[in-house]
Amino acid sequence: MKQEQGHSKAKKFGMVIDLDLCTGCGSCMVACMAENNVPFKEDETDKLKSITWMRIFKFSNGKTYPETDVCYLPRPCQHCEGHGGHSPCVSVCPATATDYDAHTGIVSQIYTRCFGCRYCMGSCPYKARYFNWFDPVWPDGMEQYLSPDVSPRMRGVVEKCSFCYHRYQIAKDKAHYEGQTEIEEDAYQTACAQACPVKAITFGDLNNHSHAVSKLKNQPNAFRLLERLGTNTKVYYVSGREWVRRAGDNYLKAEWPKKTS
Amino acid sequence: MDSALIPNGVRRCSINKFMIALAIAGAVLLWGVYAMFLCWFKGLNQTNMNDYYGFALWIWADLAIIALGGGAFFTGFLRYIMGKDELKNIINYAVLIGFICYSSALLILAIDIGQPLRGWFIFWHANVHSMLTEVAFCLTCYFMVLTIEYIPLILENKQIDKVPFFHHLSHNMHSVMAVFAATGAFLSFFHQGSLGGVAGVLFGRPFAFREGLFIWPWTFFLFTWSAAAYGPCFTLMVTKITEMVTKKKLVKDNVVELLAKISGWMMATYIIAKIIDTYYWANVTAPSLGFNIMHFYSNNSFYGLWILFLEIILGGVVPAAILITEKGRKNSLARNTAFVLAVIGVCVNRWVMVLQVMAVPVMSFDTWALYYPSWQEVATTILPVAYGIILIMISYRYLPIFPQEPELNPVD
Amino acid sequence: MKIDRRSFLALGVGVVAGNALSPVPAILTDDIAIWTQNWPWVPVPEIGGSAYADTTCQLCPGGCGISVRKVEERGVKIEGKKDHPVNNGGICALGLSGLQLLYGPTRVKTPLKRAGKRGEGKWIKISWDQAISEVAGKLNDLRSQEKAHTVAGISGSSSGTMTEIFRRFLTAYGSANFFHTPSIQDTYRLVFEFMHGKKADPGFDIENADFILSFGSSLLEGWGPPVRMLKASKKWKDTATKIIQIEPRLSRTALKAERWIPVTPGTEAVLALSLCHVIIKEGLYNKDFLANSTFGFEDYKAKNGEIKKGFKQLVMDDYSPEAASKITGLDPAAIILLAREFAKASAPLAIFGKGQGILPGSLSEAMAIHALNALCGSINRKGGIFALDVLENKELSEVALDGIAEAGLKQHKLVETPHNSSGCLNQAFSAILKGNSVNALLVLEANPLYTLSDSKSVKDAFDRIPFIASFSSFMDETAQYADMILPNHIYLERIEDVPLSMGFPKTVIGLSKPVFKPQYSTKHAGDTILLISKELGGSIADSFPWKNYEACLQHVLSDKMDVLKKKGFWTATDSFPDFKNAFRTASAKFEFQTDSLSSDLVNVKIEGDETYPLVLIPYETIRLSTGYIANPPFLTKAVEDTILKGKDSFIEINPKTAQASGFSEADMVLLQTPKGQARVRVHLEEGIMPGIIALPRGLGHTAYDNYIADKGINVNQLIGPVNDPVSGLDTAWGIRAKLSKA
Amino acid sequence: MSKSDDKAQTVSEKAVEVSSSTRQSSSSDEGSGGIVVLFFFIGLAISLIFGWMIFPKLLYSQKKQPINFSHSLHNKLVSNGCESCHFFRDDGSYSGVPKLAQCVGCHEEVQGDSPDEIEFVEKYVQKGIEVPWLVYARQPDCVFFSHAAHVKTAKLDCKTCHGYIGESESLKTYYQNRITGYSRDIWGENIAGIKKNTWDRMKMDDCAECHQKLKTSFGSVQTQKEGCFVCHK
């Protein structure tokens, strides 16, 4: 394929999230909102109309008191590779407003190209895409904290987690200036990974063996969400708890315990 | 007063009666237009759609009316390509209905998108991999074809026809109509199909996803087929309604029965295919992704197996059975019931392929999300109905839509 | 020639054709689309050079180091400061939202004077000079009427130079009625006063303990420095540290704990003593420590000659696992097992205090649990609990007092307890309701009207105070109910020393530096107080010889200032003398305070009788800010819709309990307690003990702005204080309640 | 008269009517055929003139820079060419239009006798107010442009995009699109979008053009061109 002819080996940025470490404290959610100029309304309790690029799901093992156990699962955009970059959302966008970048493995979303047909939202099984139902409004004066690295979205377009791509742009900018070709692992980290107090989120280049993620993703307890759909995501989860690993996908009764394939 | 415009040899109601009816329909239309502007100026927060329901009532309405409008291309196909000559007595009406359906569909799409002023990006920055792009292109092209098919009808108006130029124009257009009918049939095959593809390609949504042929999932063919099968039923149903309203027989039974018979057989074959598809999906596709079929029909307060029964049995098998049997077709009550059931059947199918797809949770820890439309959505969805009624009223009054009308209702 | 209809038709056609051949349609179509991409009402962030500025967070007592990312003069992001002893790069959701407070609509932008009725929200803007002279005037009058002692002050914090200055001001003025928002720290100080005989704060060596027994502490819900605790939880996993969470609710801490042991709330002390029983019975205790460094373990002779029952005898008699089992609802075998595990661990650590530690709690319970630590010698040693000497500000000279001041200080205080009473805020307000007059109240960074239990009585008390002045930066409940607001800079705009909150095993002071110049016409509360004292003149002015607060801070921190300015924090070299010299009690040993451990004391009764079949407990979640700082919009956005939906709070209730009264998920119910009632929604939760219902703290604000106000219920309306018989601090961990259809 | 007669009469009358009517119409045809064509061309001309000559003027509003500035003059005085004032920050980001602080370096006091400089010093330097420059090349907010990548790595000359502004004696008028608010330099002066030089237009297509030519590998799976996030934020 054309994109493999790149000068430097194609990168594949991804995440490994340790669900046994995650306390569901919400730092990643807020770090993401603060980093990416995510708007907010007076009432954000309708979670079906609340933009949270990073959303923490909460689910239990279904047992009763006192055997019950709960798992918090942070869910950024999974940046599916699908087959050859045809992730569920990318292939359906009629205006090429969302795209898969074979150089980075990141699924981009261009707000000024999007005209809000929302087909991509329908295609995403992770519900990682959010629509701007309302005009973004910041209370008087608060627009002062908006970051110039991420363009605020207008009403009527879809937005989602970008793996803080602007941080990669900034890192590359520096590299160009200093005449570097490669970018260090810690020079490009997402806001959520950086903020997480328990370091449950690890971010890096899955193709680069010197990056932590490339090893972490191979742990026996690592799994991905809805692997069976062939979404081929780049966000891995880790848990020592079997019921959590099982919740990561759908299985018929007969199919569990999962045969390691 | 407007008698100069009314075709020769037919009787029409008084202008006052006509105007009152027009006013009523117009009022409904205005309500819809008001809602439409609310959506355009205030944004889609006017709807009850949300991040789990990116597609909802509107997209359903689109799919449904386009399926129902399928009568136009299929009847045209039968008339001009297959040479079913009797159908010339209903083709006009089929075209008109098709025109209404497609223009409405385009309008609804224009309301549905979050950035209407950027709508043209779908053509300019088209992504060839997207089913929606295919839909947009074919839909627009076919709408043009329908317009071209509708024009000669307008030209047949008594006054317009007096102008030599228009007279000749309409005559010439009639003679080349076969070409357009062919183009229309071709385009329709694709956009009806790609509408099916819209759902079928969603490999992230096991409820909608289907395997298929080359780039086209089975839903692609099922949609085209169903449109061809159910479209004529809608044409016939609307004809029946028109006859009831005008208290006149407008189309001879042999014509109706012919179309009903063809439609019936199409439906029968379609429903068999649909059953096979459903069976395969329920027993192979879904399980291979870890889903038991009951997952899609339980643990929620609305969607159950009943909807599957309503779509396939009541809305498919039953009408098909009625229409393919001589006795069924001949009995007007049975026939008309079949039309209604068929229309319901295809609408339910489109509903399922849009809204149930959105409702079903995919991640094991996600939940069902049910939705009901806001009044703005309802109003904008009723808008096309009012618009259709108005267009039919005017066309029926001033254009010779039904060639058999003078013969069936001689003016003494 | 003849121009007819068709000519005009032709003209039209021509125009259309011409347009099609001109750039107009294309350009308009394109430009209109571009217009939608740059709608004037969508803000465009200004570009510029970016840089980081470090300071210390003050949104909770945690004292994390933060780095503020700035683009030119604008702050665009707050991040955790790397290599900081407390948070080392990590940061909590509240800390991340700081800029929303800086630029938020809830700031008080200039000094305000009440115009309408109290709490009505009608204000007139006044100049700083006017504000200061008016306050000074008020205070002067009271002084001249020899009512100096009827002036009271409330500080949000009990430590730090700012608090010192505030207390100093009141003293110089002639009032001993200084209070601070109570916290568990007050109880712990008493524990050390009684058992160690010295003024100390607790430091928990959580990172090095290998068996942690938490008696309901929300270790991962904002306890101590929250980020430090969250980091510790990773360490626990890496080092396989055992955490046992004793709590009626499956909190985050319980989730991450190795074992969650739900016990009847309020019986923790009994459980602790019963564990001691087992440990003593099986001889698993630290014999050397008990033999040589403790007093009151065996029976002893009191001063008056009578023989008193020692700790050993007490627990052997009254706290057998069987007896405890009846009270705690825990199986005796479980108690015995737990005791063995605890005692056999190499570095066991028991932690007292429910929730985040906002609640002082029962002194007896604290001592019972501390005794458990003592039994295993987990005091002042690696992995145990340290008694950190309280830093005294030696630099501050004696307060100069004039006649009026001396007279005022001799007057009887609002609250008289044998021990330091400045934490007994609830009692202060009940005293006012009982008729003790307070003529002026000064409030610094505190919001008693919201944070104190039985908010209603507090409000009634407020109504009896003729003059209330608040230094708050925000229009919080108390500020809104005040007569005058002299707005303080917020933490990002001011210099401040931030002593680390309770629980950290080292004495650390952080420095908060002004990262932004003041956004509005606000003034550092320290400077405001200095100016007021100058206005008052005389001995009061003499007590504040500094030209401004910064100079004062410089003076107080003298030796530490350079380090603080350089590193951003200062760490004391704490030393822990061996057990021979560690205790300053009469016996110079660790003392088991047996007479405070009698069963009538250890069992804290809560308000309400059998007509209230259920028990309501407040709980804390790290996604809700519970104190003086209210939830910024981002944090509220992160709150689950099973806690808050629209304007409704949800109570957590066990499905069995709910079923019994026929409630199902999301039902609206009426929650009634002896103190009040509220309409709430039901959230079925398997992770809570049957018979218990839980309501989160941090909701139900009535002031601030639309992003904070009118969201849910303030649990403090429903709970009344229960004063500890010894310390006088609030010990109410809950209240009896009932639910009915609403 | 008999019925048949008057029937015949009426018929003949009708015939007359018809014939006359046809005559009328035919005569008017001959008369106005040319005029119709003429009117067509008039209409055509009107809209062509409007579209190509008037519309471009209407589309943009003209804005004067707050004060005049001579690039060429400064260029002669500085050592490091454009980068002397339009420099890179240490983090690799590009400073763009200089802030007052930089100018003050030299313009603490009035240097020469240019009235512009005097105005500058009095109006801005002394009052400490930033000059509200209008930036001709300002891209919309959705664009991320790395000067470092183009200038440092690709070794592009400033001219390639900015033309000869560096040699200009004075600042040209700033044309602002009334609809989009963009500078005219983005779409280019030519309303048809025709460009002779690389710096005549600055639209996405112009960036893409160059990227397509010079790059060997492309990220976008959908378009087989440059990935979107390379230039968008």
Side-chain angles (χ1 to χ4, degrees), chain A residues 18-48 50-52 55-58 60 62-72 111-114 135-156 166-167 170 191-192 194-200 241, chain C residues 36-39 41-48 52 69 71 74-80 82 87-94 96-97 99-101 103-105 220-221 226-227 229-231 233-234 237-238 248 250 252 255-256 260 262-263 519-520 622-623 633-642 644-647 652 654 656 683 685-690 706-707 711:
Chain A
D18 189 323
L19 298 178
D20 297 343
L21 282 180
C22 176
T23 61
C25 72
S27 282
C28 52
M29 289 179 82
V30 175
C32 174
M33 296 179 207
E35 178 76 21
N36 293 294
N37 297 341
V38 175
F40 56 88
K41 311 185 290 294
E42 281 179 12
D43 181 359
E44 285 285 359
T45 58
D46 178 356
K47 299 305 176 189
L48 298 186
S50 175
I51 302 176
T52 46
R55 175 176 169 190
I56 299 180
F57 282 87
K58 182 185 179 186
S60 89
K63 298 209 177 119
T64 59
Y65 172 89
E67 273 75 40
T68 181
D69 187 9
V70 169
C71 174
Y72 289 98
Y111 320 117
T112 44
R113 172 64 68 80
C114 172
D135 279 305
V137 181
W138 282 269
D140 213 6
M142 242 200 237
E143 70 282 344
Q144 283 185 83
Y145 74 61
L146 293 180
S147 159
D149 305 326
V150 182
S151 56
R153 283 70 63 183
M154 67 291 299
R155 174 230 297 165
H166 58 283
R167 288 183 170 212
I170 290 166
C192 50
Q194 177 196 28
C196 179
V198 293
K199 294 271 158 275
R241 293 170 287 179
Chain C
T36 67
Q37 296 170 339
N38 303 271
W39 272 336
W41 58 88
V42 177
V44 175
E46 229 169 284
I47 55 173
Y52 281 91
R69 178 158 186 256
V71 170
R74 306 186 296 118
V76 297
K77 178 92 187 292
I78 295 180
E79 288 163 9
K82 290 203 182 60
N87 57 316
N88 183 26
I91 181 165
C92 75
L94 177 60
L96 280 156
S97 316
L99 291 173
Q100 293 194 314
L101 296 170
Y103 297 120
L220 303 181
E221 301 272 18
V227 178
M229 296 309 299
L230 290 165
K231 287 196 165 303
S233 77
K234 182 184 194 318
K237 186 161 177 285
D238 301 344
L250 185 66
R252 280 187 173 76
L255 273 175
K256 295 298 157 189
W260 167 44
V263 303
Q519 300 291 308
Y520 307 108
I622 195 162
R623 296 194 204 170
F634 276 158
L635 199 50
T636 310
K637 189 171 177 174
V639 172
E640 300 98 319
D641 57 0
T642 52
L644 178 73
K645 182 92 176 166
K647 295 183 176 305
E652 276 187 14
N654 188 294
K656 285 190 193 62
H683 172 51
E685 178 58 68
E686 288 292 351
I688 187 166
M689 211 175 187
N706 296 347
Y707 296 89
K711 293 182 185 296

Side-chain angles (χ1 to χ4, degrees), chain A residues 99 102-103 148 151 165 169 173 176, chain D residues 146 153 217 219-220 229 232-233:
Chain A
D99 198 351
H103 287 171
S151 56
Y165 190 85
Q169 290 173 324
D173 224 15
H176 280 299
Chain D
S146 165
T153 308
S217 121
S220 167
F229 266 171
H232 281 286
K233 67 183 196 199

Side-chain angles (χ1 to χ4, degrees), chain C residues 184 215-218 265-266 268 352-358 365 620 733:
Chain C
I184 196 168
F215 287 84
S217 302
S218 306
E268 290 82 358
F352 150 77
K354 293 184 186 63
Q356 289 175 338
I358 316 169
E365 183 182 330
E620 286 116 14
W733 48 264

Side-chain angles (χ1 to χ4, degrees), chain A residues 48-49 91-94 96 111 113-119 122 125 127 130-131 133 154-155 228 247 250, chain B residues 41 44-45 49-52 54-55 112 114-115 118 121 125 127 129-130 198 204-205 288 291 362 364 366:
Chain A
L48 298 186
K49 280 189 180 177
S91 45
V92 301
C93 175
T96 338
Y111 320 117
R113 172 64 68 80
C114 172
F115 63 84
C117 75
R118 306 185 299 288
Y119 191 9
K127 316 273 175 75
Y130 295 86
F131 187 72
W133 300 101
M154 67 291 299
R155 174 230 297 165
R228 307 181 72 169
N250 296 284
Chain B
F41 288 105
L44 295 182
N45 49 53
M49 288 190 278
N50 56 45
D51 293 333
Y52 275 32
F55 282 0
D112 186 53
Q115 287 282 354
R118 295 187 211 158
F121 283 10
H125 301 293
N127 169 17
H129 300 88
S130 172
V198 164
R205 296 286 196 152
S288 74
F291 291 92
V362 184
S364 68
D366 206 346

Side-chain angles (χ1 to χ4, degrees), chain C residues 281-293:
Chain C
K281 189 167 171 203
E282 305 190 358
L284 300 169
Y285 52 87
N286 183 322
K287 304 199 174 49
D288 160 60
F289 174 72
L290 280 159
N292 307 325
S293 318

Side-chain angles (χ1 to χ4, degrees), chain A residues 31-258:
Chain A
C32 174
M33 296 179 207
E35 178 76 21
N36 293 294
N37 297 341
V38 175
F40 56 88
K41 311 185 290 294
E42 281 179 12
D43 181 359
E44 285 285 359
T45 58
D46 178 356
K47 299 305 176 189
L48 298 186
K49 280 189 180 177
S50 175
I51 302 176
T52 46
W53 293 8
M54 170 65 99
R55 175 176 169 190
I56 299 180
F57 282 87
K58 182 185 179 186
F59 56 95
S60 89
N61 62 353
K63 298 209 177 119
T64 59
Y65 172 89
E67 273 75 40
T68 181
D69 187 9
V70 169
C71 174
Y72 289 98
L73 183 138
R75 189 251 33 217
C77 168
Q78 306 285 304
H79 292 272
C80 309
E81 186 175 1
H83 5 267
H86 293 287
S87 45
C89 52
V90 164
S91 45
V92 301
C93 175
T96 338
T98 183
D99 198 351
Y100 185 88
D101 191 326
H103 287 171
T104 58
I106 290 176
V107 175
S108 60
Q109 177 74 21
I110 307 302
Y111 320 117
T112 44
R113 172 64 68 80
C114 172
F115 63 84
C117 75
R118 306 185 299 288
Y119 191 9
C120 55
M121 298 170 71
S123 75
C124 176
Y126 306 101
K127 316 273 175 75
R129 293 180 156 268
Y130 295 86
F131 187 72
N132 283 273
W133 300 101
F134 301 84
D135 279 305
V137 181
W138 282 269
D140 213 6
M142 242 200 237
E143 70 282 344
Q144 283 185 83
Y145 74 61
L146 293 180
S147 159
D149 305 326
V150 182
S151 56
R153 283 70 63 183
M154 67 291 299
R155 174 230 297 165
V157 300
V158 172
E159 61 182 76
K160 68 163 194 71
C161 154
S162 66
F163 269 172
C164 288
Y165 190 85
H166 58 283
R167 288 183 170 212
Y168 186 53
Q169 290 173 324
I170 290 166
K172 275 197 302 184
D173 224 15
K174 197 165 198 287
H176 280 299
Y177 178 68
E178 292 166 348
Q180 312 286 344
T181 51
E182 272 313 300
I183 284 154
E184 293 304 311
E185 184 173 12
D186 62 354
Y188 170 35
Q189 286 292 315
T190 59
C192 50
Q194 177 196 28
C196 179
V198 293
K199 294 271 158 275
I201 305 176
T202 322
F203 179 80
D205 179 1
L206 298 165
N207 282 352
N208 185 332
H209 300 303
S210 69
H211 285 202
V213 283
S214 63
K215 290 169 200 61
L216 290 171
K217 77 175 205 293
N218 298 328
Q219 296 172 78
N221 284 340
F223 65 98
R224 296 186 290 178
L225 293 181
L226 304 174
E227 250 176 289
R228 307 181 72 169
L229 300 185
T231 46
N232 190 9
T233 64
K234 279 192 282 310
V235 177
Y236 292 76
Y237 293 88
V238 180
S239 176
R241 293 170 287 179
E242 196 194 22
W243 68 270
V244 171
R245 294 199 299 278
R246 177 178 181 148
D249 213 328
N250 296 284
Y251 302 94
L252 302 174
K253 284 188 180 50
E255 290 176 326
W256 197 270
K258 191 177 163 199

